[in-house]
Amino acid sequence: MAENIDRDATVGSASESPLSLLLQLVLSPSKWDVVTILLVVVLYVAYRSAQKDQSTDAHLYANFIDKMKAKDQKVAIFYGSQTGTAGDFASRLLKDLRRMGISSTLLDPEDHDMKLLSNLKDIEDHLAIFVVATYGEGDPTDNARGLFDFLTEAETDEPIMEGLRFTVFSLGNKTYEHYNLMGRFVDKKMRELGGDLFFRRGEGDDDANIEDDFLAWREEFLDFMREKYNITAEHVGQLREYEQIVHDPAPAYSFIGEPHKLGSFRTQRPPFSNKNPYIGKITAHRELHTGGDRSCMHIELDIKDAKIKYSPGDHVAVQPVNNTRMVEQIGERLNIDLDTIVSLTATEDSCASKVNPFPCPSSYRTILSHYVDICALPRTNFLESMIEYCTEDSDKQELLRVTASGDAGRAAYNDFIRVSGRDVLDVLTALPSLMPPIDLVLEMLPRLQVRYYSISSSLRVCDNSIHITASTHDYITQTGRHGSGVTTSWLRSLQGKVGTDEARIPVYIRKSTLRPPLRCAIPIIMVGPGTGVAPFRAFIQDRHALKESGKMVGETRLYFGCRHKSEDFLYQEEMESYVEKDSLNLRVAYSRDQPEKIYVSDLLNEDGAEVWDLLNRQHAHFYVCGDAKAMAKDVHLMLLKIIQQHGERSLPDAEKFVKSLKQRGHYVVDAWS
């Protein structure tokens, strides 16, 4: 994907991976033929084998059942979170239950042996809560793969979950085809294994208002728990999971942004991964737009010393840094010395899943710059935790108003935070008497997440280099604040520093299922307007290099779209040179260069007979990358129309044809919302 994604429900590749296909198979087995089922199983086994081969860390599972029994804990809350939203919701449920006096624990499936899950029923008054996000188009999140694998491999004719009480809240996005697939899978499979759905499954839609969805479900669930257990009194006030230690004198070494291992930024050693990113040096940084008020960056990273390999279609993960001025302003507002070295450590009675919420020891400056998301819209639990630190009644009443339960409270929160676009600094500015302790702010803020970009280069052409194509988005909030994307604004700030040590960014490679056919003789059709062209630039470079080396390469067709040919035709000269060398069939839709808007779907319609021939007779692969909300849907509908019109098929038969393409990996979508 060529755009950064900020929440669980919208993150990642929208392509049909083996995990996604297997989830669909479990949920709708009757729709699949025997050959396809066998193919999916083979792909999944190969995928699992590859995942194990890629693992570089020996993993020691903890026996969470024994720990729960030792601490007399009744409720286990499991979360599958790609970027933190599901983890945040799970943490809030944990505190809710603790306030009720129900001893609970928060568990990351990645850190525990999920084969022990069935033993939870041995605990009296037990309950398993699954708060799980769907990654892209139907995959489990990275940390929930162990849970997915366990449930997938469990035989339904053995009711190993019989008597085990559970509930599910799932996170998804309706712009994607497989909405909330992971949560629905967990619910269905747990019941098939004999589990007892204790409370109805909830679903959150990130395309609408996922916070509202969660709050509504949470209120119902908590009311159900109060009635079920006759709870009449609850704890009032803060329930802290972490306590702060100020290091004075400061330790010899502290974290400076490393995600996992102290000193890994100072001394770089492969292999590089999410826990050990490579600090890549920016060697080129230029503007791609030649006019207009919008911007798109082309960035090149030197990886010659990293021993990093990637394939066309893979993603590069960028670990961003927050705006320096905003960090300074928070320090000034809270009257802290940003260079103080601290650690946040789990309290003795904490039920947090991590000993530290972020790498410690670190300075306040490092934490605010690298580890917490200061630009995220504060959620209601953050605002609730701030109430007691207001010295003026008017500020306290405002926070009580926007955090109240029910429709009125949710509407007030929506106006104060979502519509106004307020971040943590805006909240502190809007409530002058609010003076919370900095460690509470750091504990309550979500973790700053990496952003994924489709690599827009091929190693066959750009040896020892990774290219990034990223558009920037600037806006003004209702409060008058100028805003922009966290990662893209940071990358933009490095443009004038190319060639210096400041122009270095932490990155690692994430494999993708969006990739060209193994046999380059197979034709490909690519639809990628705007920055959606990024992975296809890599495809085109790769196939051109293969053609130049004497390989037989099938037709390489690109449908690109932009507003104006003279302003935002990305990589125009390069693309036209490939056309001249007969390596590319290029079709461009300029949406604003004529009175009537023309989009990539319109060009597909014009070329309907050719597209049908490529797909049906020549077995071409069809790729889409870009906006999920409008473009990807329009292209999908146009594809169905083409199949009906030129393939002379009914709509149901056209849908079957498209489904077959997807199941065979011949129709792949990588979209973002």
Side-chain angles (χ1 to χ4, degrees):
M1 86 204 119
E3 291 274 323
N4 56 296
I5 308 297
D6 291 324
R7 288 182 285 276
D8 285 323
T10 56
V11 71
S13 169
S15 51
E16 297 280 354
S17 75
L19 292 177
S20 172
L21 292 173
L22 196 59
L23 276 169
Q24 297 170 55
L25 172 60
V26 171
L27 290 174
S28 304
S30 61
K31 298 180 181 179
W32 296 60
D33 58 62
V34 174
V35 175
T36 303
I37 290 173
L38 289 173
L39 177 60
V40 171
V41 171
V42 169
L43 286 171
Y44 174 69
V45 170
Y47 176 83
R48 287 289 298 144
S49 176
Q51 288 293 311
K52 291 176 182 177
D53 290 343
Q54 291 175 9
S55 176
T56 58
D57 296 323
H59 207 75
L60 182 63
Y61 288 122
N63 190 323
F64 66 89
I65 299 295
D66 287 348
K67 289 185 176 181
M68 289 182 67
K69 288 179 178 178
K71 294 185 177 182
D72 194 28
Q73 293 170 335
K74 305 295 185 184
V75 180
I77 307 175
F78 300 93
Y79 63 94
S81 188
Q82 195 69 27
T83 61
T85 305
D88 174 65
F89 287 173
S91 179
R92 291 157 72 173
L93 288 173
L94 174 75
K95 291 186 177 182
D96 290 330
L97 294 174
R98 287 183 64 194
R99 288 191 179 94
M100 292 181 175
I102 300 174
S103 185
S104 310
T105 186
L106 188 63
L107 300 171
D108 183 341
E110 189 175 36
D111 296 334
H112 300 280
D113 186 355
M114 296 313 297
K115 293 178 182 178
L116 298 173
L117 178 60
S118 59
N119 296 334
L120 185 63
K121 61 179 180 286
D122 296 335
I123 297 177
E124 187 178 0
D125 288 334
H126 69 274
L127 176 63
I129 303 176
F130 300 96
V131 184
V132 290
T134 297
Y135 174 82
E137 283 289 343
D139 289 341
T141 59
D142 289 348
N143 77 311
R145 281 177 178 161
L147 170 64
F148 169 80
D149 293 337
F150 166 65
L151 292 178
T152 299
E153 294 162 8
E155 297 291 342
T156 55
D157 57 354
E158 297 179 15
I160 58 174
M161 299 295 175
E162 189 171 3
L164 194 151
R165 301 188 301 182
F166 75 97
T167 187
V168 179
F169 184 83
S170 58
L171 297 80
N173 188 307
K174 284 186 176 175
T175 59
Y176 296 104
E177 180 181 356
H178 305 297
Y179 174 62
N180 267 313
L181 187 62
M182 180 59 180
R184 294 174 182 181
F185 164 77
V186 171
D187 179 13
K188 182 176 186 289
K189 198 63 190 278
M190 285 292 294
R191 284 186 282 113
E192 288 177 348
L193 293 170
D196 175 19
L197 185 62
F198 182 71
F199 183 75
R200 71 169 182 86
R201 184 184 76 243
E203 293 189 345
D205 178 16
D206 197 48
D207 187 46
N209 190 332
I210 202 166
E211 175 80 3
D212 271 6
D213 295 337
F214 173 69
L215 290 177
W217 179 87
R218 168 179 170 252
E219 288 172 14
E220 285 186 39
F221 170 69
L222 295 179
D223 285 342
F224 177 82
M225 293 293 285
R226 292 183 183 102
E227 183 177 351
K228 186 80 173 177
Y229 294 100
N230 194 28
I231 297 170
T232 57
E234 299 178 31
H235 176 84
V236 178
Q238 293 290 342
L239 279 177
R240 296 291 301 273
E241 298 293 343
Y242 297 96
E243 58 186 358
Q244 178 177 256
I245 301 171
V246 177
H247 298 283
D248 188 14
Y253 296 99
S254 61
F255 284 88
I256 56 173
E258 305 96 325
H260 184 69
K261 186 178 179 181
L262 180 63
S264 63
F265 277 9
R266 297 182 177 92
T267 304
Q268 293 261 276
R269 293 189 180 92
F272 297 104
S273 64
N274 60 330
K275 293 184 178 180
N276 182 36
Y278 177 70
I279 311 298
K281 186 176 182 179
I282 296 177
T283 56
H285 193 312
R286 69 176 187 271
E287 174 61 45
L288 291 176
H289 287 182
T290 56
D293 57 357
R294 298 180 305 140
S295 173
C296 184
M297 300 174 289
H298 172 84
I299 297 171
E300 298 179 14
L301 300 175
D302 181 2
I303 57 169
K304 65 176 179 293
D305 297 326
K307 299 180 180 178
I308 289 176
K309 300 296 181 183
Y310 63 87
S311 302
D314 284 346
H315 302 145
V316 59
V318 177
Q319 183 179 315
V321 178
N322 282 317
N323 181 273
T324 301
R325 179 57 189 143
M326 189 172 175
V327 170
E328 295 281 353
Q329 288 175 315
I330 292 173
E332 293 167 5
R333 174 64 176 78
L334 296 179
N335 194 28
I336 59 170
D337 178 358
L338 289 171
D339 296 317
T340 301
I341 308 294
V342 299
S343 291
L344 263 64
T345 306
T347 61
E348 188 174 336
D349 61 345
S350 172
C351 296
S353 60
K354 309 290 184 185
V355 175
N356 309 108
F358 37 72
C360 296
S362 298
S363 68
Y364 289 135
R365 188 185 305 279
T366 294
I367 297 168
L368 289 167
S369 298
H370 297 273
Y371 297 140
V372 296
D373 193 346
I374 58 178
C375 293
L377 301 181
R379 299 193 184 277
T380 53
N381 62 319
F382 177 90
L383 300 176
E384 287 171 345
S385 71
M386 298 292 113
I387 293 173
E388 65 181 274
Y389 299 102
C390 292
T391 57
E392 293 292 334
D393 188 63
S394 58
D395 291 342
K396 184 175 295 187
Q397 291 302 316
E398 178 66 358
L399 286 179
L400 287 169
R401 183 180 71 87
V402 301
T403 59
S405 59
D407 293 341
R410 288 194 290 272
Y413 168 82
N414 191 58
D415 289 341
F416 183 69
I417 295 295
R418 288 178 59 87
V419 176
S420 299
R422 283 191 168 94
D423 56 33
V424 61
L425 184 58
D426 291 328
V427 170
L428 291 170
T429 302
L431 307 170
S433 75
L434 174 59
M435 187 60 73
I438 180 62
D439 56 303
L440 174 63
V441 173
L442 300 179
E443 177 181 332
M444 298 301 298
L445 285 174
R447 284 292 299 270
L448 183 60
Q449 302 295 328
V450 299
R451 305 305 199 261
Y452 296 100
Y453 298 91
S454 288
I455 298 174
S456 57
S457 55
S458 165
L459 278 176
R460 295 186 199 275
V461 177
C462 306
D463 192 24
N464 296 320
S465 181
I466 291 175
H467 294 189
I468 297 173
T469 306
S471 61
T472 61
H473 175 55
D474 298 317
Y475 56 91
I476 299 177
T477 68
Q478 284 195 358
T479 61
R481 175 177 60 84
H482 290 258
S484 59
V486 174
T487 309
T488 50
S489 62
W490 174 57
L491 291 174
R492 182 169 52 189
S493 73
L494 301 177
Q495 184 169 12
K497 301 174 182 178
V498 175
T500 72
D501 286 340
E502 289 185 69
R504 302 169 73 92
I505 63 176
V507 298
Y508 62 89
I509 302 300
R510 181 186 178 91
K511 293 298 179 183
S512 168
T513 53
L514 179 79
R515 53 185 66 249
L518 292 175
R519 292 174 49 234
C520 59
I522 297 175
I524 62 173
I525 303 170
M526 303 166 289
V527 184
T531 53
V533 76
F536 302 141
R537 179 176 182 254
F539 281 30
I540 295 164
Q541 287 183 353
D542 205 64
R543 288 167 72 90
H544 173 72
L546 289 169
K547 178 173 173 284
E548 292 289 289
S549 70
K551 299 283 187 181
M552 178 68 71
V553 178
E555 180 178 346
T556 304
R557 179 179 293 215
L558 171 66
Y559 289 89
F560 175 71
C562 61
R563 292 185 179 181
H564 302 284
K565 182 177 182 179
S566 62
E567 292 183 2
D568 55 350
F569 187 163
L570 306 184
Y571 303 111
Q572 179 179 357
E573 292 183 6
E574 180 180 341
M575 294 301 172
E576 290 176 345
S577 73
Y578 287 129
V579 173
E580 292 174 3
K581 295 171 184 175
D582 200 29
S583 292
L584 177 65
N585 184 345
L586 177 64
R587 297 280 278 139
V588 185
Y590 306 107
S591 64
R592 312 290 172 88
D593 275 351
Q594 61 285 314
E596 182 181 353
K597 292 183 179 179
I598 299 175
Y599 297 110
V600 287
S601 56
D602 298 312
L603 297 187
L604 284 167
N605 190 37
E606 289 180 15
D607 300 344
E610 296 177 15
V611 170
W612 168 245
D613 182 70
L614 283 165
L615 292 173
N616 184 54
R617 187 178 63 84
Q618 302 183 51
H619 307 292
H621 289 206
F622 191 85
Y623 302 92
V624 181
C625 184
D627 170 51
K629 190 171 290 188
M631 184 278 298
K633 287 184 176 180
D634 290 344
V635 169
H636 181 80
L637 292 173
M638 184 56 66
L639 188 58
L640 289 172
K641 177 183 175 182
I642 288 170
I643 296 167
Q644 290 176 83
Q645 181 177 344
H646 299 280
E648 298 181 346
R649 304 197 180 195
S650 65
L651 178 58
D653 286 342
E655 290 173 338
K656 287 180 183 178
F657 185 87
V658 167
K659 185 172 184 178
S660 176
L661 289 177
K662 288 188 173 184
Q663 291 171 353
R664 289 179 286 135
H666 291 189
Y667 177 13
V668 185
V669 181
D670 190 355
W672 59 85
S673 175

